[in-house]
């Protein structure tokens, strides 16, 4: 990231067929640079008012050629997204119009913003903590309403409030421990019970947060769910039933599907990529064999394999579906089963194999719930803090580990000095979570994930 004093510019909207685009200028000279483009006879920038929108025409300063008529909104520091002077230009959309305007602003003295630089400046200027800054990217990338909601909650401080409670409890414990260290003669003996109470309070919240991390990551990143099994077991039919549309070809001929077919679905708010595959069997047909290889590779790298066993065949097939992760066994086409065959098939499978029929809809809702459960999904109430990133989980787990060591030390009657070391460790981990004392390389990595304009 460049020095935080220069003025940066970038389009904040993607190039789409939409009507409008927004270009953002941020920095000490934002108003001055913008002013150079205001057309002669247009409204002068001096008349722009803070937090108000004004219509004006922008021109190329050297030639006077019109660039666009725009609506501009001024946000004076520090009451802006970045905490600096910000000028937001709503112009007409389209690559050429936006490029001409950005080009003119660059010629007028702005520098092209790097990826994530607006949000980086907002973080640096104390407009948001690091977890909130990270959630800006999450909100933009969210594929389901639930993922967007979690990102909004995070940005609006759901985690900040919870971490403040943890911090308050740890500080209360530390005050007592430090008093016993600093003034061993004057201070009363360490009130171990009070310290334990505070540390247990902190640990209980941290435990809940760490436990939320798997579900939080699933909400943010989604997962790949691969349907695999023998030919004609009903994989494509189940794929279509779960995707809610007739996306994959279904036919009574075994060996119909050869390519991998993907669809992103919203299952209880979690964005899952569902993959239909070729039926796995030995075959001399070259195209089908390639399909089987693709299916095997997809199953091997899946987050979850839904392994179909055809109820129309009473014996378990011996198709060799590779399973390196979790697997859900499903008895498919169960409406076609002969009397007793379901039981016989289930006898060959691990306990709890689900029975489904894409034709009748039987077991589909149960399968949907089982998929979410198997992936660790566990929805939290709106507004309650969850961890959505591995970075957050590591820091919360570090703080929790330090709390547990403190509780162990209390139980063992260890000197307070050692407890103070652990409590400080816990507080430092909380700081890093919200962005205090984070190494520059880590910050660079976090903001490099953003695109230009965020
Ligand atoms: N009665 C009944 N028929 C089904 C069910 N699911 C699929 N079928 C039928 O079974 C046949 C095979 O279904 P597909 O979904 O194409 O099976 P597949 O596993 O994708 O087959 P391949 O792509 O060839 O491996 C088709 O005729 C479907 O209509 C079901 O639940 N009940
Ligand atoms: Mg198929």
């Amino acid at each position: 990231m460049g020095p935080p004093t220069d003025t940066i510019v970038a389009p904040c909207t993607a190039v789409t067929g939409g009507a409008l685009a927004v270009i953002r200028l941020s920095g000490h000279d934002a108003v001055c640079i913008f002013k150079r483009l205001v057309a002669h006879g247009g409204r002068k920038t001096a008349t722009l008012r803070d937090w108000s929108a004004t219509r004006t025409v922008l021109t190329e300063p050297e030639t006077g050629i019109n660039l666009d008529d725009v609506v501009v909104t001024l946000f004076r520091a520090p009451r802006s997204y970045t905490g600096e002077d910000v000028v937001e230009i709503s112009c007409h959309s389209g690559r050429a119009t936006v490029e001409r305007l950005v080009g003119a602003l660059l010629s007028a003295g702005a520098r092209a913003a790097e990826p994530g630089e607006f949000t980086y400046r907002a973080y640096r200027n104390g407009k948001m903590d690091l977890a909130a800054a990270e959630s800006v990217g999450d909100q933009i990338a969210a594929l389901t309403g639930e993922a967007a909601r979690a990102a909004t909650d995070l940005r609006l401080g759901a985690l900040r409030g919870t971490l403040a409670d943890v911090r308050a409890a740890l500080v209360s414990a530390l005050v007592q421990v430090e008093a016993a260290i600093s003034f061993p003669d004057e201070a009363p003996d360490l009130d171990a019970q009070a310290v334990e109470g505070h540390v247990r309070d902190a640990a209980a919240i941290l435990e809940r947060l760490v436990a939320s991390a798997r579900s939080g990551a699933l909400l943010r990143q989604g997962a790949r769910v691969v349907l695999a099994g023998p030919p004609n077991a009903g994989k494509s039919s189940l794929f279509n039933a779960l995707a809610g549309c007739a996306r994959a070809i279904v036919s009574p001929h075994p060996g119909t599907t050869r390519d991998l077919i993907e669809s992103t679905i919203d299952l209880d708010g979690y964005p899952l990529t569902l993959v239909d595959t070729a039926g796995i069997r030995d075959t001399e047909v070259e195209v089908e064999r390639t399909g089987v290889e693709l299916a095997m590779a997809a199953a091997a790298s899946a987050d979850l394999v839904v392994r179909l066993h055809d109820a129309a065949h009473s014996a378990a097939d011996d198709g060799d579906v590779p399973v390196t992760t979790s697997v859900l066994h499903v008895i498919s086409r169960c409406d076609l089963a002969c009397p007793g065959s379901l039981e016989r098939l289930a006898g060959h499978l691990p306990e709890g194999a689900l029975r489904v029929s894409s034709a009748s809809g039987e077991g589909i809702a149960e399968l949907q719930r089982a998929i979410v459960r198997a992936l660790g999904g566990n929805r939290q109430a709106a507004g309650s803090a969850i961890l959505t990133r591995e970075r957050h989980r590591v820091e919360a787990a570090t703080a929790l580990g330090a709390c547990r060591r403190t509780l162990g030390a209390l139980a063992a009657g260890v000197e307070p000095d050692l407890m103070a070391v652990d409590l400080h460790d816990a507080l430092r981990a909380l700081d890093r979570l919200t962005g205090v004392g984070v190494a520059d390389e880590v910050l660079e990595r976090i903001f490099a994930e953003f695109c230009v304009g965020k």
Side-chain angles (χ1 to χ4, degrees), residues 63-339:
T63 60
I65 293 172
N66 285 337
L67 292 168
D68 197 8
D69 60 324
V70 302
V71 173
V72 59
T73 317
L74 173 65
F75 304 92
R76 285 277 186 199
R79 292 173 63 232
S80 71
Y81 181 73
T82 58
E84 305 169 333
D85 278 355
V86 168
V87 175
E88 276 184 12
I89 303 166
S90 290
C91 60
H92 291 93
S93 184
R95 187 185 294 278
T97 305
V98 172
E99 277 178 4
R100 259 155 52 94
L101 280 167
V102 170
L105 290 163
L106 290 171
S107 304
R111 167 172 73 70
E114 290 176 37
E117 197 168 7
F118 292 106
T119 307
Y120 175 73
R121 288 184 175 200
Y123 156 69
R124 267 291 151 94
N125 291 328
K127 300 298 290 188
M128 58 180 83
D129 68 31
L130 190 55
E134 288 167 320
S135 71
V136 173
D138 296 347
Q139 175 139 25
I140 293 164
L143 290 174
T144 67
E146 268 312 302
R149 176 182 71 76
T152 307
D153 288 347
L154 190 55
R155 202 159 42 75
L156 296 183
L159 186 58
R160 191 163 58 240
T162 304
L163 292 178
D165 292 343
V166 178
R167 165 170 282 280
L170 291 175
V171 168
S172 300
L174 193 59
V175 166
Q176 305 237 359
V177 171
E178 299 270 14
I181 298 169
S182 312
F183 314 104
D185 301 331
E186 299 151 40
D189 284 343
L190 182 67
D191 184 349
Q193 220 178 351
V195 174
E196 184 185 333
H198 293 309
V199 178
R200 278 198 192 287
D201 288 347
I205 303 173
L206 288 168
E207 256 162 31
R208 196 190 59 69
L209 282 177
V210 171
S212 76
R214 189 164 172 223
S215 181
L218 183 64
L219 203 52
R220 190 172 78 80
Q221 296 174 310
R224 274 177 87 77
V225 178
V226 170
L227 304 182
N232 247 15
K235 298 178 297 301
S236 299
S237 304
L238 186 57
F239 176 88
N240 289 344
L242 291 170
C245 61
R247 172 99 167 65
I249 297 173
V250 168
S251 96
H253 304 292
T256 301
T257 306
R258 273 98 190 265
D259 284 318
L260 299 179
I261 302 172
E262 297 191 4
S263 178
T264 299
I265 61 168
D266 175 342
L267 213 52
D268 196 28
Y270 296 97
L272 306 183
T273 303
L274 201 61
V275 188
D276 184 22
T277 62
I280 291 173
R281 66 172 169 184
D282 281 335
T283 169
E284 295 304 312
V285 182
E286 197 188 332
V287 181
E288 191 183 349
R289 207 166 50 235
T290 308
V292 172
E293 281 165 14
L294 287 174
M296 304 278 258
S301 65
D303 296 302
L304 176 70
V305 173
V306 175
R307 169 71 158 95
L308 276 75
H309 304 268
D310 189 357
H313 293 267
S314 54
D317 66 89
D318 49 5
D320 208 5
V321 179
V323 174
T324 55
T325 48
S326 49
V327 57
L328 267 180
H329 289 280
V330 168
I331 302 175
S332 56
R333 305 206 298 178
C334 64
D335 58 298
L336 294 182
C338 320

Side-chain angles (χ1 to χ4, degrees), residues 217 220 388-395:
R220 190 172 78 80
T388 54
R389 286 174 181 260
E390 180 60 10
R391 189 186 79 77
H392 301 172
R393 192 198 62 76
V394 167
E395 301 298 6

